[in-house]
Amino acid sequence: MSLRRFAIHTAYCLTMLLTLGSCTFDYFEDDMNYKVFVPEFKERTIRNCRVLVWDKKTGRLVGDRYARVGATNDNVLDAGIFAFRIPPANYKTCVLTDTDSVGFNDIADLTTASFSLDNDGDRRYKEPAYMKFDYINRELVAQGMIVTDTARLELYPAIIKVRYRGTDVSAETVKKAAMTLSNTATRQQISLDTITSGPTDSYTLYNYNDVEPWPQAAEGAKFEFSGLLFPTKENELMHLALNMCDDEGHSIRSYRFALTDRESKPITILHGRVFIIDIYNEGFMITIEGWDESILGGSLEIDGGKNKH
């Protein structure tokens, strides 16, 4: 071999080695036949996103991609595209954003895959983040066919707003508050979409260390205490406790009540719903936004005594 041919051959080999070392099979875009476009990732209105794909017939997880906004070093992901190379089959895709408050469990199989709230210790679970989700059912019918689905994200947790409209507590005296929801849902099995579960003794604690009187968003209420929770478990009763305190943490007034409908059945709060509890001197009223009317006028316990609406 001449010196010139040897040099050309050596240069070619070095080029191929460098090329192969700079990428992996997954990043050859032309090989990716299934893509999920998440507009919110491209627009940077979420913090992170995870996309999981299961074969519906076998239950096997065939794709799993996670990315944080602004930390990908990948032009395709930065454009909001989560890409996979998978064979023809029927698939279920789960898109979940802002996942910092949950952990994923047993995801290798669709029948066991779930996400659940982080545990703060004992029976206490963290408040969920402002998570958004979409479930996509997709059939790929032929090899080489490229399909792109656009995620239509919805809010996953429900929003609870407790508004105090009574006159027996001065707006100037309340500086702190704590709200507890007991028997809250803590686990979402992905195959069941938004039907949740969790231990009966679970609870979530919401602390408010700088209570603002007469907040503009509270529609005339003296105080508003809001938080997020998983969609509620079906046919299971939740309880709510609210304790309003002064600047030193001494209790001024506390309230406790069960969340039931007019027939004393447990209230079901679906994903993305806004759940409002208005507290008056003589009782409380529950409203779920999107319904035509308030669904409950009920009794509550005030500092151990009971008032009837």
Side-chain angles (χ1 to χ4, degrees):
M1 180 184 293
S2 69
L3 183 61
R4 182 173 180 274
R5 289 184 64 188
F6 177 78
I8 292 172
H9 179 73
T10 301
Y12 173 78
C13 290
L14 286 171
T15 301
M16 290 301 294
L17 286 170
L18 288 170
T19 301
L20 291 172
S22 65
C23 60
T24 64
F25 178 81
D26 284 346
Y27 286 92
F28 287 108
E29 187 179 352
D30 290 344
D31 289 325
M32 300 301 185
N33 61 321
Y34 180 52
K35 303 175 183 181
V36 179
F37 174 48
V38 184
E40 290 82 352
F41 194 91
K42 178 183 178 181
E43 295 160 5
R44 301 193 170 203
T45 57
I46 56 177
R47 295 192 303 272
N48 59 66
C49 182
R50 189 168 185 177
V51 180
L52 305 104
V53 185
W54 288 270
D55 184 316
K56 292 169 71 174
K57 182 178 181 179
T58 65
R60 185 171 64 91
L61 180 72
V62 298
D64 180 6
R65 291 200 171 224
Y66 170 85
R68 299 191 69 86
V69 170
T72 67
N73 296 317
D74 184 316
N75 291 336
V76 176
L77 275 173
D78 285 342
I81 298 172
F82 292 72
F84 305 88
R85 186 176 186 270
I86 52 179
N90 277 307
Y91 295 102
K92 177 167 185 170
T93 299
C94 171
V95 182
L96 196 66
T97 77
D98 301 294
T99 61
D100 293 340
S101 62
V102 298
F104 288 82
N105 315 295
D106 303 318
I107 64 171
D109 193 287
L110 179 59
T111 60
T112 58
S114 68
F115 58 87
S116 57
L117 288 171
D118 292 337
N119 191 310
D120 267 350
D122 194 17
R123 300 172 292 115
R124 176 176 165 179
Y125 289 81
K126 291 183 178 179
E127 177 184 6
Y130 200 83
M131 303 159 56
K132 295 182 179 180
F133 80 106
D134 189 18
Y135 293 125
I136 302 169
N137 293 301
R138 168 56 59 197
E139 181 180 9
L140 299 182
V141 297
Q143 194 72 44
M145 178 186 220
I146 298 175
V147 175
T148 300
D149 281 318
T150 298
R152 311 293 182 186
L153 296 179
E154 300 179 52
L155 180 63
Y156 174 76
I159 301 172
I160 185 169
K161 298 181 178 181
V162 179
R163 294 171 173 172
Y164 179 75
R165 299 183 182 276
T167 59
D168 51 355
V169 174
S170 169
E172 291 72 29
T173 58
V174 175
K175 303 298 181 182
K176 299 179 181 180
M179 180 172 71
T180 302
L181 281 172
S182 60
N183 198 17
T184 51
T186 61
R187 179 177 176 270
Q188 176 63 67
Q189 186 171 330
I190 292 172
S191 62
L192 299 180
D193 293 349
T194 57
I195 299 175
T196 55
S197 60
T200 56
D201 58 355
S202 61
Y203 71 94
T204 301
L205 177 65
Y206 307 80
N207 287 307
Y208 310 91
N209 294 319
D210 189 13
V211 175
E212 175 190 1
W214 307 108
Q216 186 174 358
E219 300 179 349
K222 192 174 292 184
F223 307 112
E224 179 179 278
F225 310 101
S226 62
L228 299 171
L229 68 155
F230 268 20
T232 57
K233 296 179 282 186
E234 289 188 329
N235 302 316
E236 293 207 25
L237 182 63
M238 285 199 311
H239 288 83
L240 185 147
L242 174 67
N243 187 26
M244 296 187 290
C245 304
D246 62 19
D247 199 34
E248 300 296 323
H250 302 128
S251 179
I252 297 173
R253 187 59 60 96
S254 63
Y255 302 87
R256 293 170 294 279
F257 43 89
L259 301 182
T260 61
D261 64 14
R262 292 183 185 278
E263 298 177 351
S264 298
K265 295 179 180 178
I267 286 177
T268 298
I269 310 173
L270 304 178
H271 73 275
R273 292 284 191 179
V274 179
F275 178 64
I276 300 171
I277 301 175
D278 289 297
I279 297 177
Y280 302 88
N281 289 350
E282 67 278 9
F284 67 95
M285 182 71 69
I286 293 177
T287 306
I288 299 178
E289 287 190 358
W291 291 30
D292 292 334
E293 61 177 349
S294 297
I295 63 173
L296 179 81
S299 62
L300 52 78
E301 293 183 12
I302 303 177
D303 296 330
K306 196 164 190 176
N307 283 9
K308 184 74 176 178
H309 181 258

